[in-house]
Amino acid sequence: MELATASTLAAARKVIAVHLNYPSRAAQRGRTPEQPSYFLKPPSSLALSGSAVERPAGCELLGFEGEIALIIGRPARRVGIDAAWSHVGWVTAGNDLGVYDLRYADKGSNLRSKGGDGFTPIGPGLLPADSLDPASLRIRTWHNGALVQDDTTADLLFPFARLIADLSQLLTLEPGDIILTGTPAGASVAAPGDVVEVEVSDARTAGGSPGPTSGRLLTRVEQGSVSFADFGALPRSDDLQREEAYGSREAAGLPEPEPVLTPALKAALESVSTATLSSQLRRRGLNNVSIDGLTSTRPQRRVVGLARTLRYVPNREDLFANHGGGYNAQKRAIDSVNEGEVLVMEARGEKGTGTVGDILALRAQVRGAAAIITDGGVRDVSAVAALDMPTYFANPHPAVLGRRHIPWDTDITIACGGATVQPGDVIVADADGILVIPPALAGELAEDSIAQEREEAFIAEMVEQGHSVDGLYPLNAAWRTRYDEWAAERG
């Protein structure tokens, strides 16, 4: 093993970083990319172990991310996956530092937030790549001596060879170039005076022996004293950036936001019919909020939940090859639906193929989904109907989705059964139909619907006693007085 030196840093013409690559980090971020994506860091951001990094004056959120750094040993241009690893010369530890206070100004480039001097320390030791299995490496990070990141490369979203092959399609990877390969869950924020250490080792080593290791890459954080000039973007932070920087609201010391669909609101919406809710929506000028033309596997079940969305586009064979297989948008949507949520699918009313089958419907049920709604077909309909979770669909059909559909995108605004549905909309369904309720209206809608159904209970009681509906339905002034008395008697 040799040590990273100033000559190592000088040899790097490019520093390329991967956005998301570890399943644990993807779960923390709430999204799983279909393909790897990258950003560049300037070589001037490189630093050696033992260096100090400055948290710029006015910044609050200096984030650290322990990563495995690959150093290219020989040029790679349009190489295949099978040969890609042979182009890596060394492996070492890296720290992808950045200030979240400037992310807003980057528009995805990460230049301001992650390009500062010293924001990419690497080292201290360089492990020969040809002696390592890239799928059996371990990455660990310590923050002030506490272990905060510990993961392996066994189940990366994008194995290292794929990254190298992919990048080499468009640009030449040159000797000395450095690739930061993503960070696992546990990345957080460091303050002035803190020490961050990162180590890469061979995960195959057993029996307590440390085995081949990069040694600990050590970085000390110092407070910057020179303020930003007012002719450029100035640092600013908010609770969203704090949550992103620390990894969770809890870690950032932020209170959990009030849920849109509280237990009390959910119970209120469950207590009234969609017919009543529909009339209240019409009173507010909302006439196009019903998902129409679908059949339910559990028509008597009352469903109330927040919408998650999935969009299918018409099949085109060349596009299906890239978007239809593997961990596609359909599987990602099913695998990320949460307890009590309703997965709503846009299938354009296309009935000539299935949009979900028994295995994926079962997976949604296991994850606690309240329902699946699709304006397309369903495969394995008997098995889907046997599930406790309701599924709403246009018709049964035996064909797989590739006959007519490509699963394209998730958690976007879609159209389903003639209604526009956005992620976070409140979905209410019963035997009468399916409604899409804007979340901002849900509370007052539930309250007014309960009042309406109380009035209708009185009206039904009066009709049962033999009274005419003239003046009773709807209530005129005289009947309104009698209703108020009736309601007061019943508390």
Side-chain angles (χ1 to χ4, degrees):
M1 179 185 75
E2 59 182 287
L3 293 177
T5 63
S7 61
T8 308
L9 308 190
R13 298 177 63 182
K14 296 185 288 295
V15 181
I16 303 170
V18 178
H19 280 110
L20 279 174
N21 202 11
Y22 286 80
S24 61
R25 181 69 161 177
Q28 196 176 49
R29 287 288 196 237
R31 61 184 185 272
T32 301
E34 183 179 355
Q35 301 290 344
S37 60
Y38 314 93
F39 60 93
L40 287 168
K41 301 188 76 171
S44 56
S45 70
L46 289 167
L48 294 170
S49 182
S51 301
V53 66
E54 180 182 287
R55 187 181 74 176
C59 289
E60 170 192 346
L61 304 171
L62 176 64
F64 63 84
E65 299 177 4
E67 306 206 11
I68 296 173
L70 311 180
I71 302 177
I72 296 299
R74 59 191 186 95
R77 175 67 167 138
R78 293 183 178 141
V79 300
I81 291 176
D82 291 344
W85 184 248
S86 67
H87 292 262
V88 179
W90 300 271
V91 173
T92 191
N95 193 342
D96 183 15
L97 293 157
V99 281
Y100 282 72
D101 313 69
L102 293 172
R103 287 177 83 196
Y104 78 94
D106 276 337
K107 303 186 185 303
S109 72
N110 286 345
L111 179 61
R112 292 176 180 86
S113 60
K114 292 203 169 193
D117 289 353
F119 277 21
T120 316
I122 65 165
L126 305 180
L127 300 172
D130 58 10
S131 68
L132 300 171
D133 177 358
S136 299
L137 298 175
R138 185 182 187 190
I139 175 76
R140 289 186 292 175
T141 305
W142 293 263
H143 182 202
N144 293 330
L147 182 65
V148 293
Q149 290 184 289
D150 190 352
D151 211 333
T152 73
T153 56
D155 58 352
L156 293 177
L157 300 176
F158 312 111
F160 294 161
R162 178 175 171 182
L163 299 177
I164 296 159
D166 183 36
L167 287 165
S168 77
Q169 294 182 90
L170 290 172
L171 53 90
T172 299
L173 296 173
E174 300 163 303
D177 286 351
I178 295 170
I179 302 172
L180 300 176
T181 56
T183 193
S188 189
V189 172
D194 288 357
V195 174
V196 181
E197 299 169 279
V198 185
E199 181 184 49
V200 174
S201 59
D202 191 334
R204 297 172 297 180
T205 304
S209 171
T213 172
S214 65
R216 292 196 185 187
L217 166 66
L218 187 147
T219 304
R220 294 181 177 86
V221 180
E222 297 180 347
Q223 178 59 54
S225 58
V226 180
S227 298
F228 284 90
D230 59 7
F231 49 74
L234 297 177
R236 69 184 190 208
S237 58
D238 54 28
D239 285 352
L240 174 60
Q241 294 305 326
R242 293 184 183 98
E243 180 180 354
E244 290 271 299
Y246 282 93
S248 69
R249 294 185 67 85
E250 180 181 8
L254 300 172
E256 288 299 321
E258 282 294 318
V260 173
L261 195 59
T262 64
L265 177 55
K266 184 173 186 290
L269 291 170
E270 288 173 339
S271 73
V272 294
S273 69
T274 56
T276 304
L277 290 166
S278 179
S279 66
Q280 289 294 330
L281 286 162
R282 283 180 59 83
R283 290 180 186 180
R284 291 162 172 80
L286 293 169
N287 298 304
N288 300 294
V289 287
S290 63
I291 297 176
D292 299 331
L294 306 185
T295 299
S296 175
T297 60
R298 290 280 186 270
Q300 302 308 315
R301 180 74 60 80
R302 182 69 57 84
V303 171
V304 178
L306 296 181
R308 298 285 299 277
T309 62
L310 167 64
R311 180 186 175 215
Y312 293 105
V313 298
N315 186 28
R316 206 178 87 185
E317 287 76 5
D318 62 319
L319 295 176
F320 191 88
N322 291 325
H323 293 271
Y327 198 54
N328 59 29
Q330 178 200 41
K331 293 176 182 176
R332 295 198 302 273
I334 292 287
D335 231 14
S336 65
V337 67
N338 296 312
E339 182 82 25
E341 293 178 337
V342 179
L343 180 58
V344 186
M345 302 180 180
E346 175 186 335
R348 312 175 311 285
E350 170 55 64
K351 301 178 180 180
T353 191
T355 55
V356 70
D358 57 345
I359 298 298
L360 293 185
L362 175 61
R363 175 61 176 158
Q365 175 175 284
V366 168
R367 287 194 58 83
I372 290 176
I373 298 172
T374 173
D375 62 356
V378 164
R379 297 181 70 223
D380 315 305
V381 70
S382 296
V384 173
L387 297 175
D388 187 57
M389 177 195 68
T391 294
Y392 298 80
F393 62 103
N395 61 279
H397 201 283
V400 295
L401 63 88
R403 180 168 183 256
R404 300 281 174 85
H405 300 298
I406 306 173
W408 196 256
D409 207 353
T410 62
D411 290 325
I412 58 170
T413 300
I414 64 167
C416 181
T420 298
V421 183
Q422 293 191 302
D425 282 342
V426 178
I427 304 295
V428 181
D430 61 15
D432 279 344
I434 309 167
L435 293 176
V436 182
I437 300 174
L441 292 179
E444 66 177 71
L445 203 71
E447 187 175 318
D448 290 350
S449 294
I450 290 170
Q452 178 181 328
E453 290 200 349
R454 189 181 299 117
E455 287 184 12
E456 291 175 352
F458 166 75
I459 293 168
E461 186 175 314
M462 296 302 102
V463 169
E464 190 174 12
Q465 292 176 10
H467 294 283
S468 168
V469 294
D470 184 26
L472 175 63
Y473 186 53
L475 297 171
N476 61 19
W479 275 114
R480 172 68 61 185
T481 299
R482 290 187 62 178
Y483 165 72
D484 290 340
E485 295 170 351
W486 176 89
E489 290 174 0
R490 286 157 178 77

